[in-house]
Every structure is written in structure tokens, then in C-alpha cells.
């Protein structure tokens, strides 16, 4: 596709429900990142993938958060038993190759998650 | 662990004023440094980056940044801001992953 696509763009859920957020990176991009953007918190790193593997999951806030990537393309971020503090914009970004000297991240428009 | 600090959380300037946004990072090894910008209602986009060579790098829209290794700093500058520079600016450092600072909100008034 022309850019990084995220769906849904907005998600309102009830506390305790599970949610799944989807990211379609730019075709051919092997590196994929998930970030969380909260007011006053900046961009919080969650996880990154190189291909289908996630070398660093240290940013995931708790074991309620998980992410996977299949076929080196689409990634899903799953939040189980959502809490109100999970409310934020979840951003996905992709780049051609992790650590490449010309690496430039392309960001999606994000999923605004609201937990009531 | 690597971290990025942006000292200015909110900056308000008049048009034509000069801008400098601070960025410091903590990491002892080789780093790649970036500034990203998010204009209102738009995606994050790359403003400029430093990988090696000349520590003074120039980006889009008249922005520049200087890498000072001894100070672990990568401050963003622009000699004369415009109203259209109103945005949120994020410094980022890349070692094994890309870590962002908390951002600086810049408001420029005509």
C-alpha cells in the first residue's frame, strides 16, 4: 500500500474487554514498531519486529499486552482485559530494514483507544 | 538502558523568533539520532537525522540540529520560525530500537 495503514482508527471498549489492533506496514518493509502515545507521556515504545520475530518486548506494559506478526507483513497488537489506563493512541510504524543507515520510519495514523 | 530527555515541554514563540529545542540522550555506544515532527492532525514524519559525518545536519523547512557527542545532545534549531511550524517535535535515538523523548509542543503566533 501507499502508507502504513492501521485499523480501526477509533475503538471504544468497556473495561475488561479484549481488543485487537491491526497494522498493515508498507509493502517490503521488514521492520515494524508499535508505540503508545498518551497525553504528557510522549511516544512510549512497546515492541518491534524484524520480520516475524520480536527481539525486544521489553516495552510491553504488562502481560495483558501481546503482539504478533505473520508473513513478515501484518501485525496485530492485542490487549486483554482492558483497563482505563490503556486509553491512548496506538501508533504503528514501519521501515525498510531495522538499523539500516538510511532507516526512516513511516508512521500510520494510529488507533485511538478509549476504555470506558 | 537508553533514554531520551526533552527539556522543553511547551514552547511559545512569535513568528521570526529563533528556536532551539533541547534533546539529551543516555547511551554510551554509537547512536543514530532523529527529530520527528507531528503537525496538527497529521502523521509523525521525519524532520532530520544524524548517522555519521558532519555533526551539523540540515533537515526540511530550514531546521537543523547539532550532534555534540561530549554533551550527549542533539538540539534542534531554526533561526526564524513561522506560524506553520506549530507542531509537536520528538527527538529519538536509535541503538537496537528507536526510542522517543516525551516531545515538545511548539506554538508559533503570528
Amino acid at each position: 500500500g501507499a502508507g502504513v495503514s492501521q485499523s480501526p482508527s477509533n475503538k471504544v471498549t468497556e473495561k475488561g474487554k479484549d481488543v485487537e489492533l491491526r497494522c498493515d506496514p508498507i509493502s517490503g518493509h521488514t521492520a515494524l514498531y508499535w508505540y503508545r502515545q498518551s497525553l504528557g507521556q510522549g511516544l512510549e515504545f512497546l515492541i518491534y519486529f524484524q520480520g516475524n520475530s520480536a527481539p525486544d518486548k521489553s516495552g510491553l506494559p504488562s502481560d495483558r499486552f501481546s503482539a504478533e506478526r505473520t508473513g513478515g507483513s501484518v501485525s496485530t497488537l492485542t490487549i486483554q482485559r482492558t483497563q482505563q489506563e490503556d486509553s491512548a493512541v496506538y501508533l504503528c510504524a514501519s521501515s525498510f530494514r531495522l538499523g539500516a543507515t538510511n532507516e526512516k520510519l513511516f508512521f500510520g495514523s494510529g488507533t485511538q483507544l478509549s476504555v470506558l | 538502558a537508553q533514554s531520551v530527555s526533552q527539556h522543553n515541554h511547551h514552547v511559545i514563540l512569535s513568528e521570526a523568533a529563533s528556536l532551539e529545542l533541547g534533546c539529551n540522550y543516555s547511551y554510551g555506544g554509537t547512536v543514530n539520532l532523529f527529530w520527528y515532527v507531528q503537525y496538527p492532525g497529521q502523521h509523525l514524519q521525519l524532520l532530520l537525522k544524524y548517522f555519521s559525518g558532519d555533526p551539523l545536519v540540515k533537515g526540511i523547512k530550514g531546521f537543523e540540529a547539532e550532534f555534540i557527542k561530549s554533551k550527549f545532545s542533539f538540539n534542534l534549531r531554526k533561526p526564524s520560525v513561522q506560524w506553520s511550524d506549530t507542531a509537536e517535535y520528538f527527538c529519538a535515538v536509535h541503538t537496537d530500537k528507536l526510542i522517543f523523548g516525551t516531545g515538545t509542543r511548539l506554538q508559533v503566533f503570528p
Side-chain angles (χ1 to χ4, degrees):
Chain A
V4 178
S5 177
Q6 291 188 247
S7 61
S9 55
N10 275 284
K11 177 71 178 178
V12 180
T13 190
E14 293 179 351
K15 178 182 172 181
K17 301 279 190 183
D18 297 352
V19 295
E20 191 172 279
L21 312 180
R22 177 187 169 106
C23 173
D24 273 286
I26 292 172
S27 178
H29 280 192
T30 61
L32 185 148
Y33 289 81
W34 282 100
Y35 292 91
R36 180 166 71 175
Q37 187 174 23
S38 309
L39 198 63
Q41 298 296 316
L43 277 161
E44 179 187 2
F45 168 81
L46 298 178
I47 188 171
Y48 79 86
F49 290 89
Q50 179 61 30
N52 291 334
S53 66
D56 190 337
K57 303 179 183 179
S58 63
L60 295 176
S62 73
D63 58 8
R64 295 186 294 105
F65 287 73
S66 62
E68 65 174 17
R69 189 179 185 195
T70 55
S73 181
V74 173
S75 176
T76 54
L77 177 69
T78 302
I79 309 173
Q80 296 177 306
R81 305 181 303 281
T82 52
Q83 303 294 312
Q84 288 181 332
E85 61 262 29
D86 299 335
S87 297
V89 175
Y90 289 82
L91 288 169
C92 176
S94 70
S95 70
F96 178 64
R97 184 167 64 89
L98 187 70
T101 54
N102 60 348
E103 181 179 28
K104 173 182 172 181
L105 260 61
F106 293 82
F107 282 84
S109 54
T111 294
Q112 172 75 61
L113 175 65
S114 301
V115 182
L116 304 179
Chain B
Q2 67 201 63
S3 65
V4 182
S5 299
Q6 291 183 244
H7 320 297
N8 318 101
H9 298 293
H10 191 188
V11 174
I12 301 173
L13 295 172
S14 298
E15 276 193 319
S18 64
L19 170 72
E20 180 159 2
L21 302 182
C23 173
N24 285 87
Y25 65 92
S26 64
Y27 185 75
T30 301
V31 294
N32 297 327
L33 298 157
F34 304 80
W35 277 95
Y36 278 80
V37 60
Q38 188 171 29
Y39 296 103
Q42 295 189 25
H43 300 187
L44 272 155
Q45 57 186 283
L46 182 67
L47 195 58
L48 49 79
K49 61 187 178 184
Y50 170 80
F51 285 86
S52 63
D54 189 344
L56 184 63
V57 292
K58 296 189 184 297
I60 59 172
K61 304 186 179 183
F63 285 91
E64 64 179 33
E66 184 175 12
F67 170 51
I68 303 179
K69 189 174 181 180
S70 61
K71 294 185 178 180
F72 297 89
S73 70
F74 190 56
N75 292 355
L76 181 71
R77 299 195 293 251
K78 185 170 182 178
S80 175
V81 295
Q82 300 174 308
W83 174 79
S84 57
D85 293 326
T86 294
E88 190 149 16
Y89 293 80
F90 294 90
C91 182
V93 59
H94 188 283
T95 54
D96 61 331
K97 57 183 179 279
L98 192 63
I99 300 295
F100 286 83
T102 52
T104 297
R105 185 180 174 205
L106 172 65
Q107 281 185 288
V108 180
F109 290 96

